Amino acid sequence: MTNNTLPDWRDRSRKMEVSTSFISRCTNLGNPDIILICGGTNDEWNHLIEREQNEFSHSAERENGRMECNNDNSMGDYKYDGWTNDDLLLFRPGTAYLLNLVKTTYPKAKVYFVLNDILERVGESIKAICAHYDIPVIVPQGIEKDETGHPTQAGMTTIAQAVEQTLKSSL
């Protein structure tokens, strides 16, 4: 099993760059049989953005420097080829590029996308992009989270149970 998260993943104040994103690391997974892409599972703050979009700037950043991946400018268009570096910093084309790269790099691996249960716009986009690449989406329900929006131990158990149930029924 490989966890491809950077050690400084909690530092959301740094500027998002392709060179430090999962896109730059997803080809270093070895020879996996199964790949779980956990996207939006700890991004509780996106839920607040869905309700309060007007308070954010069009530069896709909040005043505190967090990347805001849920306004019209940062979501981007659905794009499945011909990506530019700028496209990769936008949510929809960046996600499509990531899934395309994973599918082409690991053609024998079964890929699943694990998604937070409350992210409406982000979730709709992920489901559409995953459908394009024939990637099943696992949406655990009722993920318990701490005050920072990250899953608690019970929340991680909920995620693990949803993944286990999906894997048992599809393998």
Side-chain angles (χ1 to χ4, degrees):
M1 179 180 293
T2 300
N3 180 344
N4 206 272
T5 305
L6 281 177
D8 63 345
W9 62 271
R10 287 186 183 264
D11 182 8
R12 295 191 185 269
S13 64
R14 66 183 169 85
K15 183 179 178 189
M16 175 59 89
E17 296 177 6
V18 174
S19 64
T20 59
S21 72
F22 185 63
I23 290 170
S24 70
R25 303 184 315 274
C26 73
T27 57
N28 301 324
L29 301 179
N31 189 24
D33 296 318
I34 298 171
I35 299 173
L36 300 172
I37 299 173
C38 300
T41 57
N42 65 353
D43 293 325
E44 175 80 8
W45 55 271
N46 269 315
H47 181 61
L48 300 175
I49 293 165
E50 289 177 2
R51 291 183 291 159
E52 303 169 4
Q53 279 189 353
N54 292 333
E55 79 177 64
F56 300 101
S57 72
H58 292 289
S59 68
E61 292 181 343
R62 293 178 69 168
E63 287 181 23
N64 66 7
R66 284 186 176 179
M67 188 68 179
E68 191 272 286
C69 61
N70 205 17
N71 70 24
D72 289 336
N73 287 346
S74 64
M75 290 293 283
D77 295 324
Y78 292 101
K79 188 172 184 180
Y80 298 105
D81 59 21
W83 299 278
T84 66
N85 211 35
D86 288 342
D87 288 332
L88 303 184
L89 296 175
L90 300 173
F91 183 77
R92 288 179 182 138
T95 301
Y97 178 86
L98 168 68
L99 298 183
N100 181 71
L101 184 58
V102 167
K103 292 283 280 194
T104 57
T105 304
Y106 309 102
K108 294 180 181 179
K110 183 66 178 165
V111 180
Y112 298 86
F113 201 108
V114 182
L115 177 63
N116 194 329
D117 60 342
I118 64 164
L119 301 176
E120 294 174 25
R121 258 183 98 198
V122 168
E124 290 169 11
S125 295
I126 287 172
K127 289 175 184 177
I129 296 164
C130 285
H132 178 85
Y133 291 104
D134 195 30
I135 294 174
V137 178
I138 302 170
V139 187
Q141 297 298 310
I143 303 169
E144 181 181 290
K145 299 176 184 89
D146 64 19
E147 64 280 353
T148 67
H150 291 86
T152 62
Q153 185 173 0
M156 293 303 287
T157 298
T158 300
I159 293 169
Q161 290 169 341
V163 168
E164 179 182 34
Q165 181 180 18
T166 299
L167 292 179
K168 282 182 176 179
S169 67
S170 66
L171 296 177

